Amino acid sequence: MTSSAPSPSPAAAPAVSPDPSDRRRWFALAIVMTAAFMDLVDVTIVNIAIPSIKQDTGASFSSIQWIVAGYALAFAAGLITGGRLGDIYGRKRLFLIGIGGFTLASALCGFAANPEMLVASRFLQGGTAALMVPQVLSIVHATFPAHERGKVFGLFGAIVGLGAVSGPLLGALLTEWNIAGLEWRPIFLINLPVGIAGLILGRRFITESKSPKALRLDLIGVVLVTLAMLMLIYPLTRGRELGWPLWGHLSMAGSLLVFLVLVLFERRKASRDGSPLVELELFRVRSFAAGIAVQLTFGVGLGIFFLVWTLYMQEGLGWSALRAGTTGIPFSIAVSAAAGLSVQKLVPRFGRKVLQVGALLMAAGLLLYIWESDHYGTAITSWQMVLPLVVMGVGMGLIVAPLADAVLSEVPKEHSGSASGLFNTVQQMGNALGLGLVSVVFFGSISDTLTPPEVGPAFADAFEHSLWWVVGVLALISVVMFALPAHPKQHVEGGGDEIADAADGPAESAGEPVLTH
């Protein structure tokens, strides 16, 4: 049973172009960019506070995995639907609902009385972020004329880089400062004043926009995707703790059947009303299918690395949150610098080879990290980690910035919104799956009965074991990248419109958004 979308009343009105004389658009930009920054920081800020959360709440390692993975899973499940709801009911309206819900969920996280409440609140936070985040670029597209969007998307890229750098450091500082004896809780509570200000100012300065040809919702598709992911990730996360029961193996096998049902349902829905959650026709484009495989696998690798890296530094080496957070600064700077160089200079000249070199560089950095961890043991220092982290960061920067363009470049323009939404969703799904696999690749090699002197070496060994898995993932990615176009097509028509079209909802390519005040 599908949900029928009501026809928005303004859809019949003539399309109105963004008004370049309306100065409110710059206030609107500041508001939506702040919300995007808040989401980016919230993804990275939690990892660094994990030991503090674990010590204060008594959370098990499986609960810790869910505190991180719950956000990614809820975010992934709701991203496409969040964009579709914005097309139907208005981007401003959904943005305000999303930022309001995100702020409330942040408060619930900050005041969580136990691990179960924190996990549930993180699910809510991810779900509301999925309503808020897809509206950001859609609002920009509807608010700014084409000749200004290049500057705006440049600012957006800077915000992404700043979020990557500041998240771990901000989390470390807030945890170390132990404001009012709240320990880890300020990492969530800091969102409250920002979210409330965004809600108040957004109501005043953001201009409403809707799609003139909004598609129908596919709630059954959302349920099937979420169910399949839960059936796969929950047993992975809890399996080791419960002794790998039979129901866990059956659940993981059953998730494949649910994914098959999803494919059959989406094929039927596409032929019936043309508004599936997943546009299966996209997978006929070889570069897109390969790119989705790269994005999913890359997300798995990153999900594994970032969680085990935090556990290694703080639980294994006994470092403070501040020391762990500052250790990651060279990595973040290298990612940001390489990303800019990759898009502006390297990819236009060398094409997909840049992405393949990026994957191999990341693998080389990991191998160097494995060697250093084995060589120096628990006496390793932050300075000794700089070289492998910079090599890894450069490799990651060469991949993350141009990957979307490489994957979407051969997708027909009428499907650009659907393709972009699916691309982002798959990344979050891969991240959630990687976080679930930490139970297998990291905790699976740690004994349940460790004496205090054994903890450091055991965590170091588990860290090295996990990195070998990520090296394998990157080797696979470098091979699959041969299916990407050798040189992504350059989008020259309309300047920044192509970028914006890819960022908007599926209905966006049908016409210029209708603006209402």
Side-chain angles (χ1 to χ4, degrees):
M1 184 174 179
T2 58
S3 175
S4 178
S7 299
S9 56
V16 181
S17 298
D19 182 4
S21 66
D22 187 354
R23 293 184 178 180
R24 295 187 308 166
R25 70 191 188 282
W26 295 106
F27 289 102
L29 177 65
I31 294 161
V32 298
M33 289 298 187
T34 301
F37 178 80
M38 188 166 61
D39 165 66
L40 286 164
V41 167
D42 218 73
V43 171
T44 56
I45 202 173
V46 174
N47 278 2
I48 212 72
I50 281 173
S52 178
I53 294 172
K54 182 174 176 292
Q55 183 177 357
D56 182 50
T57 65
S60 66
F61 280 117
S62 65
S63 294
I64 290 296
Q65 285 175 267
W66 276 111
I67 289 167
V68 183
Y71 184 97
L73 182 59
F75 190 41
L79 260 177
I80 297 177
T81 299
R84 189 74 54 85
L85 287 169
D87 289 339
I88 297 170
Y89 297 108
R91 284 73 178 256
K92 173 181 177 178
R93 179 182 298 178
L94 263 293
F95 176 81
L96 294 177
I97 291 172
I99 196 171
F102 188 87
T103 305
L104 173 62
S106 297
L108 293 173
C109 288
F111 294 115
N114 51 54
E116 292 74 23
M117 181 177 174
L118 184 53
V119 170
S121 301
R122 285 287 284 170
F123 268 96
L124 178 62
Q125 201 179 32
T128 51
L131 298 179
M132 175 179 71
V133 172
Q135 318 311 326
V136 172
L137 293 183
S138 294
I139 288 171
V140 169
H141 183 46
T143 306
F144 285 84
H147 70 274
E148 290 182 337
R149 288 183 200 140
K151 182 195 303 182
V152 170
F153 284 115
L155 288 173
F156 186 78
I159 289 291
V160 170
L162 184 60
V165 173
S166 60
L169 184 58
L170 183 61
L173 290 172
L174 290 173
T175 303
E176 285 288 311
W177 287 340
N178 191 20
I179 301 169
L182 292 173
E183 299 183 349
W184 54 272
R185 299 178 188 275
I187 70 170
F188 297 112
L189 297 178
I190 195 175
N191 290 334
L192 270 60
V194 179
I196 292 169
L199 195 60
I200 294 170
L201 296 175
R203 286 176 59 88
R204 179 177 179 183
F205 291 109
I206 297 176
T207 302
E208 182 62 283
S209 65
K210 300 177 182 179
S211 171
K213 289 182 66 177
L215 300 176
R216 297 184 177 186
L217 291 178
D218 182 7
L219 293 180
I220 294 178
V222 174
V223 170
L224 288 173
V225 166
T226 307
L227 178 62
M229 289 298 293
L230 282 172
M231 289 175 65
L232 179 61
I233 294 173
Y234 185 76
L236 279 175
T237 305
R238 296 293 311 280
R240 175 181 171 274
E241 191 177 32
L242 300 175
W244 297 108
L246 177 62
W247 64 262
H249 296 284
L250 294 176
S251 176
M252 287 187 283
S255 70
L256 300 178
L257 294 177
V258 177
F259 275 120
L260 177 60
V261 171
L262 172 67
V263 171
L264 296 175
F265 176 78
E266 293 300 291
R267 183 177 296 167
R268 182 183 172 197
K269 193 170 193 323
S271 62
R272 191 171 63 210
D273 62 17
S275 59
L277 179 72
V278 179
E279 184 62 65
L280 297 177
E281 286 295 313
L282 290 168
F283 290 94
R284 295 181 183 273
V285 181
R286 190 183 73 156
S287 61
F288 179 80
I292 286 294
V294 169
Q295 183 76 321
L296 177 66
T297 315
F298 193 52
V300 170
L302 295 183
I304 293 172
F305 173 75
F306 285 114
L307 181 54
V308 301
W309 185 34
T310 297
L311 293 170
Y312 164 65
M313 288 189 291
Q314 296 192 63
E315 296 283 341
L317 302 180
W319 291 1
S320 67
L322 184 59
R323 182 175 179 183
T326 53
T327 298
I329 291 176
F331 174 82
S332 299
I333 293 174
V335 172
S336 299
L341 185 65
S342 175
V343 171
Q344 296 171 20
K345 302 289 184 183
L346 299 178
V347 170
R349 183 174 179 183
F350 299 108
R352 73 174 175 222
K353 293 177 183 177
V354 175
L355 285 83
Q356 291 174 305
V357 168
L360 295 176
L361 270 178
M362 281 194 74
L366 288 166
L367 290 173
L368 183 56
Y369 214 156
I370 292 170
W371 179 84
E372 286 196 352
S373 175
D374 181 62
H375 181 73
Y376 296 110
T378 55
I380 192 171
T381 66
S382 298
W383 288 110
Q384 288 162 338
M385 293 183 182
V386 169
L387 180 58
L389 288 174
V390 167
V391 174
M392 281 182 59
V394 170
M396 183 172 171
L398 295 179
I399 297 173
V400 293
L403 181 58
D405 188 47
V407 173
L408 301 175
S409 65
E410 295 183 349
V411 170
K413 187 183 175 186
E414 62 270 20
H415 292 313
S416 61
S418 298
S420 180
L422 185 57
F423 179 80
N424 292 323
T425 296
V426 163
Q427 178 190 21
Q428 297 300 325
M429 286 184 171
N431 190 252
L433 181 56
L435 290 164
L437 281 169
V438 168
S439 285
V440 178
V441 303
F442 184 77
F443 293 116
S445 58
I446 296 177
S447 170
D448 292 328
T449 55
L450 291 175
T451 62
E454 293 174 329
V455 170
F459 271 65
D461 288 344
F463 176 65
E464 294 164 25
H465 181 259
S466 301
L467 293 198
W468 279 112
W469 278 72
V470 183
V471 168
V473 164
L474 291 166
L476 176 63
I477 286 172
S478 66
V479 174
V480 176
M481 281 178 177
F482 278 107
L484 297 177
H487 285 274
K489 296 176 183 177
Q490 298 298 308
H491 301 306
V492 293
E493 296 180 14
D497 288 340
E498 292 290 344
I499 303 172
D501 285 337
D504 291 337
E508 193 64 270
S509 58
E512 194 69 22
V514 174
L515 304 182
T516 60
H517 292 277

